Amino acid sequence: MPRFAANLSMMFNEVPFLDRFDLAAKAGFQAVEFMFPYAFSAKEIRTRLDSNGLALVLHNLPAGDWEAGERGIACQPEKAAQFREGVAKAIDYAGALGVKQLNCLAGKAPDGVSADALRATFLENLRFAADQLRGAGLDLLIEPVNTFDIPGFYLNRPVQAVALLEELDLPNAFLQYDLYHTQRMQGELASTLTKYLPLIRHVQIADNPGRNEPGTGEINYPFLFALLDRVGYTGWVGCEYKPATTTEAGLGWLHAFA
């Protein structure tokens, strides 16, 4: 079975963020991920990781003003300077926290900007980020996100992400493949996982509908977990789902498969 990492932005949110590390370790997780570390000092987070024997496998680059509705700024021409500042901040945190890969959220396409300008901006920002991350020994990931949950999200299908990665042709730029987002946009999970495996460095899971834990919806996770083993995926699988009730009550799927 794959190796599972608890997403602490969504799981164990019955308690404050810094207390979630303890609960993840007690539940049997050996690794965690989360969206953003920036509201806390790297020292605070590192202490929680070390005291629980946890590895951090992923966090995102700064994504603009999340509370105001921004979901990334990498495709927005007017935010180029802010994006570059965020890359430097993310690298500092990554070095302190021991994470080896950072995810870049493209963001929502702003009104009045042409498709060509959006694509050119995103590519330019990805080149910059990948170059800076490579100097720090880090990989850059990009993640397609469904436009039902986030209307207007620029990067929304794996085929679009793969085309961009192939054009970039950079040694440290890869795909973050979220099964939930892909199911909502196109389905074909087994075939796209297999087809794009050489570019996939991180997988995330949630069931559909509801974005809850595996086993609550239509996605055949026993089959897909076996497929990940069969095709030779060796990365982590991030549990980026919203527990249907409490986190611990919904962990039966993990005890069955881990």
Side-chain angles (χ1 to χ4, degrees):
M1 278 292 117
R3 300 179 297 164
F4 297 103
N7 186 295
L8 299 186
S9 297
M10 292 192 171
M11 300 176 68
F12 303 104
N13 56 14
E14 300 87 0
V15 300
F17 178 75
L18 290 176
D19 295 332
R20 297 173 194 174
F21 296 82
D22 298 351
L23 295 183
K26 289 176 182 176
F29 289 98
Q30 296 180 327
V32 296
E33 63 175 31
F34 41 75
M35 289 195 291
F36 309 109
Y38 312 111
F40 304 91
S41 72
K43 182 178 179 180
E44 286 179 298
I45 297 174
R46 187 64 193 245
T47 296
R48 300 299 177 120
L49 290 168
D50 291 346
S51 64
N52 287 289
L54 292 168
L56 177 62
V57 300
L58 182 80
H59 68 74
N60 295 335
L61 300 180
D65 190 342
W66 197 266
E67 297 301 320
E70 288 188 312
R71 292 297 182 265
I73 57 175
C75 74
Q76 300 177 10
E78 75 279 8
K79 299 289 182 72
Q82 183 182 345
F83 178 82
R84 293 187 175 211
E85 291 173 1
V87 170
K89 187 175 185 178
I91 290 172
D92 287 344
Y93 268 83
L97 298 177
V99 67
K100 297 300 182 184
Q101 54 189 9
L102 300 174
N103 182 43
C104 174
L105 292 171
K108 295 182 281 189
D111 295 335
V113 180
S114 70
D116 287 345
L118 290 169
R119 194 174 195 277
T121 299
F122 192 38
L123 284 169
E124 181 178 358
N125 280 332
L126 292 178
R127 289 190 184 97
F128 173 83
D131 180 69
Q132 297 299 302
L133 266 62
R134 185 166 61 251
L138 302 171
D139 287 338
L140 175 69
L141 310 184
I142 58 174
E143 178 188 12
V145 173
N146 82 79
T147 55
F148 298 98
D149 289 2
I150 306 180
F153 199 86
Y154 175 67
L155 185 68
N156 51 66
R157 292 176 182 267
V159 67
Q160 180 191 6
V162 167
L164 290 165
L165 290 169
E166 289 177 343
E167 180 172 343
L168 288 167
D169 192 25
L170 296 171
N172 67 322
F174 299 100
L175 174 64
Q176 180 170 311
Y177 185 100
D178 188 304
L179 288 154
Y180 166 75
H181 290 308
T182 303
Q183 175 71 359
R184 294 218 68 186
M185 292 303 293
Q186 70 179 65
E188 295 292 331
L189 300 179
S191 64
T192 52
L193 264 174
T194 304
K195 181 177 181 181
Y196 300 137
L197 183 67
L199 286 173
I200 294 172
R201 284 299 181 274
H202 192 65
V203 171
Q204 290 180 326
I205 58 172
D207 219 327
N208 185 61
R211 202 174 184 177
N212 303 132
E213 56 263 34
T216 57
E218 66 188 357
I219 300 177
N220 187 349
Y221 272 110
F223 170 80
L224 291 169
F225 293 155
L227 175 68
L228 287 171
D229 285 343
R230 191 161 63 249
V231 299
Y233 176 73
T234 58
W236 289 92
V237 173
C239 304
E240 194 183 43
Y241 64 77
K242 298 181 292 185
T245 56
T246 67
T247 303
E248 291 183 357
L251 287 176
W253 71 270
L254 178 66
H255 301 317
F257 293 117

